Each structure stands twice: as C-alpha cells, then as structure tokens.
C-alpha cells in the first residue's frame, strides 16, 4: 500500500509579508511628488513600489488641507503625509513631540495673497473690514494670513477682529472671489494662478522662500518600521530629483493626475505659471521652522515655545 504524507502549506512569503503604506496628500501642484507618483501608477510603473521592495503597496488619501491630514495621523489612519509646516508644528506641539516627525522637505514657495484686480489694497491696515479666504482654519496659509495682518497692526481673533479670515476650500475660494464676495485669498498653487487667470486677481504678497510642503511621518510608524520609512524617503528624494530634471514631463503628469483623480482641468500654461513660483526640494532644516513657530505664537495657535529637538528626524 502506498503511503501518503500530508503536509501543511503555509501562505506564500509575499502574502505573509504584505504591507500597506497609507500616504496622504492634497490636490495641489505644491504636492507634486504625490501627484507624479500617482500618475506613474496609472501608467503601470509604481515609482515607490519598485523601490520599497516586494509586498509593499501604497494607498493614497487626499485631503483639502493640513489640519485634516494631521487628525488622520492622530487617528492612526495615515502613516505618512505631504502637508504644510504649520499643521505639522501644531500637531507636534499638541502631542508634546510624541506623534509627528518631519522626515523630508518637498516644495518651497508657491503660496501667495491674491487680491481683486481692481483693488487698491496694498498693506495690512488696508484690510480693515475686509474678507480674506484661506484653505482651512489653522493651515499654513491661514496662519500666514493672520500673522501678516497682525504684524500690520490689525487685531485678528480666531473668529473675527478688524478683518475677517474665512477658512474656505480652494474650489469655493475661486467662485467666491469671482463673484466679488472675497477681497483676498491666501492660498497655494495652482489656485494662485487660477485666481489670476480665471478671476482677474493680482498677487499682493508672494512667499517665494517659505516652506510650503514637507513629508511627515507618524512617530508610531517610524518606530515600528524605520527601514521602510528610510526606503520611502530615499525614493521620495529620487523622485524629487527626477521632477527637477524633467519639469515638462512632471508638469504634464501632475496635470493628468489632477484631471484623473480630482476632475481638475489645468491648462499647460496655468501649471507652467504655478511651477515658476515653486522650488522642488527634499531638504529642510529645523532652523527653517522657527519662523513658523513665531507666526503661530503671534496668532494664538501655539502656546509657549515647543522644543523642536525631535521635530525633524531622518529615518
């Protein structure tokens, strides 16, 4: 009689080791690394998967502005996110440095205050009784707008004051600005250029050197899988350099992704105009964040002076 040996076959190694990396970003040109990466995926060429190793998949999540992305970090719904510096700083301070780490830069510049084309507004004091929209309460442009008004002598509270700062989603900003219901909008590209091209706006204040987008990790993810975080940052740096070396193709891919995922149709000349205001870089430094700390404190978003020693951490 033949003897049969029954053996238990475990799941494949790749199935056992499958890891899902949850990454957030916004539908903005200033989050170009995420847009280009997603466009590569649509072409069947995942920039990150090729560099992260087998068994790693990426799930992308889109947010309108930074505070929402930071809440997702706190809720353990995201591992990494592209975000502005002020929401990251606020989250870092709220958690007493326990839950958020900046692991790379992404984009500098690309943010501005746009006013009506026929406006005589020229300085902060001119905005007394006026309405300025920002993407979300407490986001980087919201804090910048409030700090600029306060520095110009106006009294600004979280709900009112001498001028009204109105947190408004970017698409709604455009329509409200077109209908003259807003005197100004402090926002990021491509919305700055859209306000110029589609609503006749003009740039009054341009933040050419300010940090606009950074790459943030939850501290828990960094502690749990530092090697994966290290590989992601390395791939992010490679992608940033590819974008710098291939601006025309990167712009086309960003436009394609905005159309495919968000139904945002951006003409090539509009994206090119936005691109001219941005500096794509994977570098950042703790010193560069001090100005954001000062601004946030002036407008009441940070109490005390948070110790930034643990804010930036290379995986």
């Amino acid at each position: 009689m033949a003897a049969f040996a029954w053996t238990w076959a475990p799941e494949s190694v790749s199935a056992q080791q499958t890891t899902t990396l949850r990454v957030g970003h916004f539908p903005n040109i200033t989050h170009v690394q995420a847009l280009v990466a997603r466009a590569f995926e649509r072409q069947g060429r995942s920039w990150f998967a090729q560099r992260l190793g087998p068994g790693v998949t990426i799930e992308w999540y889109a947010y309108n502005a930074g505070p929402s992305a930071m809440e997702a970090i706190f809720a353990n719904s995201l591992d990494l996110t592209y975000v502005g510096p002020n929401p990251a700083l606020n989250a870092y301070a709220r958690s007493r440095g326990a839950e958020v780490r900046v692991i790379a830069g992404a984009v500098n510049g690309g943010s501005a205050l746009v006013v009506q084309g026929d406006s005589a507004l020229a300085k902060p004091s001119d905005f007394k009784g006026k309405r300025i929209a920002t993407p979300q309460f407490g986001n980087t442009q919201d804090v910048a707008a409030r700090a600029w008004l306060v520095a110009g002598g106006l009294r600004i509270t979280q709900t009112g004051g001498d001028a009204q700062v109105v947190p408004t989603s970017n698409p709604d900003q455009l329509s409200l600005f077109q209908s003259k219901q807003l005197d100004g909008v402090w926002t990021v590209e491509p919305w700055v250029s859209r306000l110029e091209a589609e609503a006749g706006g003009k740039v009054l204040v341009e933040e050419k050197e300010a940090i606009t987008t950074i790459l943030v990790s939850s501290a828990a993810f960094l502690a749990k899988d530092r090697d994966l975080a290290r590989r992601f940052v390395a791939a992010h740096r490679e992608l940033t350099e590819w974008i710098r070396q291939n601006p025309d193709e990167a712009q086309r891919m960003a436009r394609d992704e905005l159309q495919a995922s968000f139904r945002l149709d951006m003409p090539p000349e509009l994206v090119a105009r936005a691109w001219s205001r941005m500096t794509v870089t994977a570098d950042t430094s703790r010193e560069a964040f001090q100005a954001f700390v000062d601004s946030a404190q002036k407008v009441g978003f940070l109490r005390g002076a948070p110790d930034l020693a643990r804010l930036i951490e290379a995986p």
Side-chain angles (χ1 to χ4, degrees):
M1 173 183 271
F4 292 89
W6 293 91
T7 59
W8 173 71
E11 294 182 88
S12 67
V13 173
S14 60
Q16 289 178 325
Q17 296 180 344
T18 295
T19 299
T20 299
L21 193 55
R22 303 161 301 172
V23 185
H25 75 99
F26 312 161
N28 295 338
I29 291 292
T30 51
H31 288 227
V32 63
Q33 288 93 339
L35 296 176
V36 170
R38 294 190 68 171
F40 269 122
E41 289 181 3
R42 290 184 186 278
Q43 299 173 4
R45 302 183 294 159
S46 177
W47 181 280
F48 284 106
Q50 292 175 1
R51 291 160 175 80
L52 297 180
V56 179
T57 60
I58 294 181
E59 290 182 355
W60 296 97
Y61 295 86
Y63 298 87
N64 178 63
S68 300
M70 291 297 94
E71 289 303 324
I73 288 281
F74 283 147
N76 194 32
S77 299
L78 282 180
D79 302 305
L80 305 167
T81 190
Y82 292 93
V83 70
N86 274 113
L89 276 170
N90 190 48
Y92 178 83
R94 279 176 58 194
S95 66
R96 298 181 181 179
E99 297 199 29
V100 173
R101 296 290 182 270
V102 176
I103 56 176
V107 168
N108 293 348
S111 59
L113 169 61
V114 182
V115 297
Q116 299 288 345
D118 58 358
S119 171
L121 298 171
K123 56 187 183 298
S125 59
D126 296 336
F127 282 80
K128 189 170 185 177
K130 305 299 183 181
R131 288 164 54 89
I132 297 179
T134 61
Q136 188 173 4
F137 181 74
N139 94 312
T140 299
Q141 289 72 50
D142 187 73
V143 172
R146 295 170 189 272
W148 183 76
L149 293 168
V150 168
L154 297 188
R155 182 183 65 87
I156 302 297
T157 68
Q158 294 188 355
T159 57
D162 293 332
Q164 190 173 2
V165 181
V166 189
T168 311
S169 68
N170 288 311
D172 290 339
Q173 290 173 359
L174 180 58
S175 61
L176 291 170
F177 191 83
Q178 287 172 322
S179 61
K180 306 289 187 178
Q181 295 182 61
L182 294 172
D183 300 290
V185 177
W186 202 306
T187 189
V188 295
E189 293 291 4
W191 300 99
V192 172
S193 293
R194 290 194 68 178
L195 288 163
E196 289 179 308
E198 300 174 36
K202 61 182 180 182
V203 171
L204 179 61
V205 178
E206 184 176 351
E207 297 183 295
K208 294 182 179 180
E209 305 299 329
I211 300 170
T212 302
T213 311
I214 53 178
L215 179 60
V216 165
S217 170
S218 76
F221 168 69
L222 199 58
K224 179 184 70 175
D225 207 335
R226 183 172 293 273
D227 184 62
L228 180 56
R230 183 183 300 114
R231 282 179 278 149
F232 190 94
V233 169
H236 162 79
R237 287 187 172 277
E238 288 182 36
L239 179 58
T240 300
E241 185 57 30
W242 183 90
I243 291 168
R244 287 168 52 86
Q245 297 296 326
N246 301 275
D248 293 340
E249 188 172 0
Q251 289 176 48
R252 178 186 58 76
M253 294 174 73
R255 292 198 316 270
D256 290 348
E257 181 57 32
L258 286 169
Q259 173 60 42
S261 288
F262 306 104
R263 301 295 183 263
L264 295 173
D265 187 14
M266 302 290 175
E269 59 273 14
L270 181 72
V271 174
R273 179 189 295 186
W275 203 269
S276 69
R277 292 191 171 111
M278 295 165 33
T279 300
V280 183
T281 176
D283 296 327
T284 192
S285 67
R286 191 171 70 190
E287 290 73 21
F289 281 84
Q290 190 57 51
F292 294 102
V293 171
D294 296 341
S295 293
Q297 288 175 327
K298 286 177 183 176
V299 296
F301 282 103
L302 284 180
R303 295 180 179 178
D307 181 0
L308 302 184
R310 294 187 293 166
L311 177 64
I312 299 176
E313 184 173 344

